[in-house]
């Protein structure tokens, strides 16, 4: 009897628990947010917010499951890279198990996904550092104005130095320090001897998007003390077997047109067939004579007049199965000046250096070639949901300087070139797991790089001997949700590099080998451990703050030290690397019609590399440095037709000597304040107009000598204001027309580099008004 009573009670308890569980389950209302594009394809990593709180991102199927139990009526915000944001009011009474959201492509959309910062796709709201993304739509708008990628980046990236309007990017530092340029992760920069042509290493025609990570980063290694620019090349995204784009255009100076006519043409093809996906294309861009606002031909030193820019790229992917693929990639680039003019040297601060008819006897200056080849393998589910990416790459880069009649560092006439050949392997894994009910990710791998760089003269003389660097660098990066919406990222990288230099003689400065000395070769070791740590709190879109610390590593232009060697052995030369510590605090803010970002940073190094003028030569100043600055951006969508915005960036830096005295870093490192502004007007669905304002402020930190002359790179810089105008008209689905006008008001001005260099030969004005017309056909 007792046992049957107990049995009844147990049954009642069991049924009661089932009832409670069932009731709770019924009361809990789970909703699947299903995000697709206009073609009903799933949108991956779409960011979902409810009532201003970030709830996560969609998976590969475009879905995110949410518990709607605690919500009554709610406001749903959905954003994704390349799409117009979608704001929905969801009534409690109308909530269903699946809530479909369809996104439309947008010309001015937030860029939510970043690959470069952590070597895998990440939502920008989880990255504790400052990031600027230039998407393909914005890139195409800028291409309506110019095909100079260094100019495009200068217009759009706060913290990047002003463009030079030259074939080189000297002084175009990022936050006052050198940067590392990549193409799909392949290093383009030559930190062993910087030729300042790495920013202009690819045509914008081949670029899908640009990711700029600002501040030192420990995850990419040599050369990234100021940050990273990673050009992500175009991928085929359609389902057609064959599609493509044709662009034809011309450019000229409307105010002073003689000789200024240029042209551009590009063609790309892409498609999908079974497991194959491919894209290939080529572009040719010719720039005519460049004239200033008064019609004078610009000085030709590192100029862009009569320059041919060519680019050829191809990429093919074979999907082995739903989880793995093989990818092969090639990009070839060249930009050389076929000069019909030579420089007539002017007078600094008085008369500009201009171009006059004439021909240099040397080879065409610029970048004769830049070849990139990569073979990669990826697997999205190797073990425990791990993602594997392996790539082998080759890079061959040549930078050709302009012929000089009388060299200052060598005897007689000559023309130097920098030759760099890199090969490497990148092995990268990402593994997610759970620790104490908290999601954790670890990204780990190893980079192996062999970089052989030298500088010689076209007549065979050796200016800098071959520097053979081998760098083996393992790394690990952890990402942990330590609390809800509080993300911690920390990592470590071990740099294990050595540079081998054979015995050599420095170049002669006079006849009969006068001034040349023998230097015994050897190996220079570089070993250091780099750390980074950052925290970001991303619960609220209205205030999404972060704080971070990261170290950077760079071998200090070893070639410059070797070519000016005054000692007989490598051990006696100052070859120590640059280790930077970057501290940053910042935020992003998104509410109503407004978007804001802001960041303040401090970058320190015990040994710097400011190039200072010593008896007419630029020599590295190896003293402790401190660079600091801030950046702010803002944007407001006033209506569906009107969007306005802008940015402001300020940076300053000083070196400290042994006696405690401090000196400002010169113009080659520190840019003057820079501001940008824009107005986007879209009167119809087919027509858009963009007005850009560019401002470079003044900087006057150094005194002239008793003769009124400044040292190299210490000249005073005055304000520059420029306006650009672009418009696009979509005729139909296939045809589109673009008109762009650089320097809208034909202003006569001197670029920043012409002012701070304080050299007569470099005192060259900026380009006057330039009109660009093009028509685009998609099929």
């Amino acid at each position: 009897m007792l046992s049957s009573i107990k049995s009844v009670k147990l049954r009642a308890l069991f049924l009661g628990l089932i009832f409670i569980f069932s009731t709770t389950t019924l009361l809990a209302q789970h909703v699947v947010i299903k995000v697709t594009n206009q073609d009903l394809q799933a949108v991956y990593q779409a960011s979902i917010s409810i009532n201003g709180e970030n709830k996560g991102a969609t998976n590969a199927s475009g879905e995110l499951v949410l518990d709607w139990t605690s919500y009554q009526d709610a406001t749903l915000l959905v954003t994704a890279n390349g799409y117009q944001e979608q704001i929905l009011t969801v009534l409690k009474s109308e909530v269903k198990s699946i809530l479909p959201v369809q996104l439309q492509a947008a010309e001015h959309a937030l860029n939510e996904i970043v690959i470069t910062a952590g070597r895998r796709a990440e939502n920008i709201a989880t990255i504790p550092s400052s990031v600027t993304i230039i998407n393909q739509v914005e890139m195409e708008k800028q291409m309506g104005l110019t095909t100079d990628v260094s100019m495009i980046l200068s217009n759009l990236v706060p913290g990047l130095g002003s463009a030079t309007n030259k074939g080189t990017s000297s002084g175009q530092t990022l936050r006052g320090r050198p940067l590392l340029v990549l193409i799909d992760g392949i290093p383009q920069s030559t930190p062993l001897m910087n030729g300042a042509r790495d920013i202009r290493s690819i045509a914008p025609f081949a670029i899908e998007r640009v990711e700029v990570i600002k501040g030192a980063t420990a995850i990419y290694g040599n050369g990234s003390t100021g940050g990273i620019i990673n050009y992500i090349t175009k991928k085929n995204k359609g389902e057609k077997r064959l599609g493509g784009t044709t662009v034809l255009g011309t450019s000229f100076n409307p105010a002073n047109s003689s000789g200024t006519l240029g042209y551009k043409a590009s063609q790309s093809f892409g498609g999908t067939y079974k497991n194959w996906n491919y894209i290939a294309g080529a572009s040719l861009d010719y720039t005519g004579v460049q004239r200033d606002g008064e019609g004078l031909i610009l000085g030709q030193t590192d100029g862009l007049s009569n320059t041919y820019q060519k680019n050829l790229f191809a990429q093919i992917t074979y999907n082995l199965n739903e989880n793995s693929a093989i990818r092969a990639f090639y990009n070839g680039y060249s930009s050389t000046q076929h000069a019909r003019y030579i420089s007539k040297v002017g007078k600094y601060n008085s008369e500009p250096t201009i171009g006059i008819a004439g021909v240099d006897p040397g080879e065409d200056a610029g970048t004769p070639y830049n070849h990139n080849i990569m073979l990669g393998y990826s697997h999205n589910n190797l073990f425990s949901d791990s993602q594997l990416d392996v790539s082998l790459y080759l890079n061959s880069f040549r930078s050709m300087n302009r012929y000089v009649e009388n060299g200052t560092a060598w005897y007689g006439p000559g023309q130097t070139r920098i030759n760099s050949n890199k090969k490497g392997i990148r092995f990268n894994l990402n593994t997610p797991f759970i620790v104490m009910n908290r999601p954790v990710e670890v990204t780990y791998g190893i980079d192996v790089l062999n970089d052989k760089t030298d500088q010689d003269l076209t007549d065979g003389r050796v200016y800098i001997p071959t520097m053979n660097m081998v760098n083996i660098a393992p790394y690990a990066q952890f990402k942990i949700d330590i609390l809800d919406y509080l993300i911690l990222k920390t990592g470590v990288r071990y740099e294990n590099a050595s540079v081998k230099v054979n015995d050599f003689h420095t170049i002669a400065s006079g006849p009969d080998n006068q001034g040349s000395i023998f230097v015994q070769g050897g190996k220079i070791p570089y070993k250091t451990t780099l750390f980074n740590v950052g925290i970001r709190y991303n619960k609220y879109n209205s205030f999404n703050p972060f704080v971070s610390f990261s170290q950077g590593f760079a071998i200090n232009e070893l070639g410059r030290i070797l070519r000016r060697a005054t000692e007989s052995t490598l051990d006696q030369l100052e070859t120590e690397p640059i280790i930077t510590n970057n501290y940053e605090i910042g935020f992003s803010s998104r509410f109503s019609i407004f978007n804001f970002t802001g960041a303040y940073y401090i970058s320190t190094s015990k040994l710097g590399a400011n190039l200072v003028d010593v008896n007419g030569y630029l020599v590295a100043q190896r003293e402790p440095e401190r660079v600091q600055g801030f950046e702010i951006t803002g944007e407001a969508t006033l209506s569906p037709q009107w969007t306005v915005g802008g940015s402001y960036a300020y940076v300053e830096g000083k070196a400290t000597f042994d006696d405690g005295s401090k000196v400002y870093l010169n113009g080659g490192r520190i840019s003057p304040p820079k501001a940008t502004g824009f107005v986007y007007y879209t009167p119809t669905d087919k027509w858009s107009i963009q007005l850009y304002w560019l401002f470079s402020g003044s900087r006057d930190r150094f005194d002239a000598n008793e003769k009124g002359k400044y040292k190299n790179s210490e000249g005073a810089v005055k304000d520059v204001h420029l306006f650009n105008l672009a418009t696009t008209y979509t005729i139909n689905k296939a045809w589109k027309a673009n008109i762009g006008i650089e320097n809208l008001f034909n202003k006569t001005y001197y670029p920043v580099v012409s002012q701070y260099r304080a050299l007569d030969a470099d005192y060259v004005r900026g380009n006057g008004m330039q009109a660009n017309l093009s028509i685009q056909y998609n099929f």
Side-chain angles (χ1 to χ4, degrees):
M1 181 71 178
L2 183 61
S3 62
S4 78
I5 294 173
K6 288 182 177 179
S7 177
V8 171
K9 289 183 177 179
L10 287 172
R11 285 181 189 173
L13 178 61
F14 180 70
L15 292 172
L17 290 173
I18 291 177
F19 176 77
I20 293 171
F21 176 78
S22 301
T23 304
T24 304
T25 303
L26 289 170
L27 289 175
Q29 189 170 13
H30 290 93
V31 176
V32 178
I33 310 296
K34 176 71 174 179
V35 183
T36 59
N37 60 18
Q38 58 267 39
D39 298 323
L40 300 182
Q41 296 173 328
V43 177
Y44 175 58
Q45 286 286 326
S47 180
I48 310 294
S49 296
I50 298 179
N51 294 340
E53 293 186 11
N54 184 14
K55 291 300 180 181
T58 56
N59 58 22
S61 299
E63 297 177 349
L64 178 66
V65 180
L66 297 175
D67 183 359
W68 209 274
T69 308
S70 60
Y71 295 107
Q72 298 300 316
D73 298 344
T75 299
L76 182 71
L77 171 65
V78 182
T79 60
N81 176 42
Y83 295 96
Q84 186 177 6
E85 69 176 33
Q86 188 75 277
I87 301 177
L88 303 173
T89 300
V90 182
L91 302 179
K92 177 77 172 180
S93 59
E94 298 178 358
V95 172
K96 298 179 180 180
S97 59
I98 297 179
L99 181 58
V101 178
Q102 190 175 80
L103 300 181
Q104 300 295 320
E107 293 187 348
H108 313 295
L110 288 179
N111 299 277
E112 298 290 337
I113 306 303
V114 181
I115 299 171
T116 307
R119 298 201 177 203
R120 63 179 302 273
E122 297 180 273
N123 191 292
I124 199 170
T126 68
I127 300 171
S129 58
S130 292
V131 180
T132 296
I133 308 298
I134 304 171
N135 62 25
Q136 188 172 353
V137 173
E138 187 60 50
M139 180 65 68
E140 289 179 355
K141 295 292 186 186
Q142 291 290 319
M143 286 173 62
L145 290 166
T146 178
T147 54
D148 182 354
V149 71
S150 64
M151 180 74 74
I152 292 174
L153 296 185
S154 175
N155 294 348
L156 299 177
V157 180
L160 182 66
S162 298
T164 62
N165 196 42
K166 293 176 176 285
T168 64
S169 54
S170 297
Q172 205 169 2
T173 56
L174 187 56
R175 291 185 168 182
R177 292 194 182 274
L179 52 93
L180 176 64
V181 178
L182 310 168
I183 295 177
D184 284 352
I186 303 174
Q188 307 300 299
S189 302
T190 53
L192 294 175
M193 183 57 217
N194 185 9
R197 296 189 189 271
D198 49 354
I199 293 181
R200 296 185 82 252
S201 57
I202 186 173
F205 148 79
I207 298 172
E208 177 180 289
R209 57 195 263 120
V210 185
E211 298 182 354
V212 183
I213 312 299
K214 288 174 279 187
T217 175
I219 202 170
Y220 276 93
N222 189 19
S224 59
T225 56
I228 293 171
I229 294 175
N230 193 8
Y231 298 121
I232 310 297
T233 57
K234 288 182 178 178
K235 316 271 187 312
N236 177 63
K237 295 182 178 180
E239 298 297 324
K240 296 180 180 179
R241 286 195 177 185
L242 177 64
T245 300
T246 305
V247 177
L248 298 173
T250 186
S251 61
F252 58 94
N253 184 324
N256 301 280
S257 60
S258 178
T260 65
L261 186 66
Y263 57 83
K264 63 180 178 180
S266 65
Q267 178 65 63
S268 64
F269 299 95
T272 301
Y273 178 71
K274 294 184 178 179
N275 291 347
W276 295 92
N277 188 292
Y278 69 93
I279 187 170
S283 67
L284 171 63
D285 190 333
Y286 171 71
T287 301
V289 174
Q290 292 192 330
R291 297 178 180 271
D292 65 18
E294 296 178 357
L296 298 175
I297 297 173
L298 304 187
Q300 299 298 292
T301 304
D302 293 324
L304 292 175
S305 291
N306 307 118
T307 293
Y308 289 89
Q309 181 177 231
K310 305 172 186 177
N311 203 99
L312 175 67
F313 81 96
Q315 183 171 233
I316 187 167
T317 301
Y318 180 72
N319 297 308
L320 299 170
N321 51 51
E322 61 181 5
N323 293 317
S324 60
I326 298 174
R327 174 193 174 209
F329 161 78
Y330 169 78
N331 193 86
Y333 173 81
S334 71
S335 176
T336 53
Q337 184 185 29
H338 298 238
R340 303 172 186 173
Y341 300 86
I342 58 176
S343 288
K344 178 184 176 183
V345 178
K347 182 72 173 176
Y348 179 70
N349 264 343
S350 176
E351 181 183 353
T353 292
I354 62 173
I356 59 175
V359 179
D360 280 332
E363 297 183 26
D364 296 328
T367 302
Y369 59 80
N370 179 30
H371 300 294
N372 289 276
I373 302 173
M374 183 171 66
L375 178 65
Y377 170 76
S378 62
H379 198 297
N380 293 327
N381 190 17
L382 189 64
F383 62 87
S384 302
D385 294 326
S386 293
Q387 178 178 322
L388 169 67
D389 290 289
V390 181
S391 59
L392 294 83
Y393 63 84
L394 298 172
N395 169 256
S396 183
F397 192 106
R398 170 167 286 178
S399 168
M400 183 74 71
N401 293 320
R402 195 175 180 87
Y403 174 89
V404 292
E405 189 65 39
N406 291 293
T408 56
W410 61 82
Y411 178 66
Q415 184 176 19
T416 66
R417 58 192 177 193
I418 296 174
N419 311 291
S420 176
N421 292 281
K422 305 182 187 73
K423 54 187 175 183
I425 301 173
R426 294 180 302 167
F427 184 90
N428 188 77
L429 273 163
N430 176 270
T431 301
F433 50 94
I434 301 295
V435 176
M436 300 178 63
N437 295 323
R438 291 290 174 186
V440 178
E441 289 182 8
V442 57
T443 301
Y444 51 103
I446 189 168
D447 291 338
V448 180
L449 170 65
N450 176 220
D451 181 350
K452 293 181 180 180
T453 299
D454 69 83
Q455 186 173 13
D456 63 355
L457 276 73
T458 55
D459 59 17
R461 284 180 288 174
V462 176
Y463 193 25
I464 298 173
T466 298
M467 300 167 286
N468 188 348
M469 182 185 76
V470 176
N471 190 5
I472 302 174
Y475 60 88
Q477 185 87 8
F478 296 89
K479 177 181 175 182
I480 308 169
D481 289 6
I482 53 178
L483 295 172
D484 289 343
Y485 309 106
L486 186 62
I487 300 168
L488 170 69
K489 291 187 71 173
T490 184
V492 61
R493 178 185 174 100
Y494 178 63
E495 296 286 354
N496 181 14
S498 66
V499 181
K500 180 181 178 181
V501 180
N502 294 328
D503 298 347
F504 69 98
H505 288 83
T506 60
I507 197 166
S509 58
D512 301 321
N513 215 31
Q514 178 183 334
S516 175
I517 67 169
F518 171 78
V519 180
Q520 183 180 354
K523 281 189 176 182
I524 307 172
Y526 296 92
K527 296 184 180 181
T528 188
T529 302
L530 306 174
F531 299 94
N532 69 283
V533 61
I535 295 176
R536 185 148 199 160
Y537 185 69
N538 65 352
K539 182 176 182 179
Y540 301 106
N541 289 327
S542 57
F543 187 63
N544 191 326
F546 70 87
V547 59
S548 67
F549 166 79
S550 187
Q551 294 181 303
F553 166 82
I555 296 175
N556 167 44
E557 281 199 271
L558 181 60
R560 191 178 293 274
I561 298 170
L562 296 180
R563 76 186 187 190
R564 297 294 302 159
T566 57
E567 306 292 344
S568 59
T569 65
L570 296 182
D571 293 339
Q572 295 173 293
L573 303 178
E574 287 191 279
T575 59
E576 292 84 357
I578 302 171
I579 307 296
T580 56
N581 299 311
N582 189 79
Y583 310 84
E584 183 173 7
I585 183 170
F587 73 95
S588 63
S589 179
R590 178 183 178 83
F591 62 93
S592 183
I593 64 172
F594 301 103
N595 293 316
F596 295 102
T597 68
Y600 173 77
Y601 58 89
I602 298 173
S603 175
T604 64
S605 56
K606 292 182 179 180
L607 283 177
N610 191 41
L611 297 177
V612 297
D613 188 341
V614 178
N615 299 323
Y617 297 100
L618 288 176
V619 178
Q621 178 180 267
R622 305 309 310 272
E623 304 294 344
E625 293 178 351
R626 177 187 172 97
V627 178
Q628 62 190 56
F630 66 89
E631 300 162 9
I632 55 174
T633 70
E635 181 178 318
T637 304
L638 305 179
S639 71
Q641 289 77 37
W642 291 93
T643 301
V644 298
S647 67
Y648 182 81
Y650 175 86
V651 60
E652 190 56 273
K654 290 184 178 181
T656 303
F657 294 101
D658 292 339
D659 61 3
S661 61
K662 297 182 179 180
V663 61
Y664 285 104
L665 302 182
N666 62 35
R669 285 281 305 280
I670 305 299
S671 299
K674 188 179 78 169
T676 66
F678 65 84
V679 178
Y680 295 151
Y681 176 50
T682 309
T684 70
D685 293 340
K686 295 185 176 183
W687 186 23
S688 65
I689 303 171
Q690 303 86 40
L691 177 65
Y692 300 93
W693 168 66
L694 308 173
F695 167 76
S696 179
S698 61
R699 186 172 190 258
D700 186 0
R701 298 290 185 266
F702 304 95
D703 296 324
N705 62 20
E706 63 277 2
K707 296 182 180 180
K709 293 186 176 181
Y710 291 94
K711 288 185 176 181
N712 189 338
S713 298
E714 294 187 358
V717 177
K718 298 178 181 179
D719 294 353
V720 175
H721 294 264
L722 296 174
F723 289 87
N724 298 330
L725 179 68
T727 182
T728 300
Y729 186 77
T730 303
I731 302 169
N732 52 42
K733 290 184 178 181
W735 292 92
K736 181 187 295 185
N738 299 278
I739 300 175
I741 303 178
E742 277 189 284
N743 194 355
L744 181 62
F745 300 112
N746 198 33
K747 184 179 180 65
T748 300
Y749 72 101
Y750 289 90
V752 172
V753 65
S754 297
Q755 299 186 61
Y756 77 71
R757 285 298 297 274
L759 299 175
D760 293 343
D762 289 337
Y763 197 55
V764 179
R765 288 175 174 172
N767 200 20
M769 182 189 294
Q770 187 81 357
N772 293 271
L773 313 177
S774 66
I775 189 162
Q776 178 177 314
Y777 173 65
N778 300 310
F779 61 92

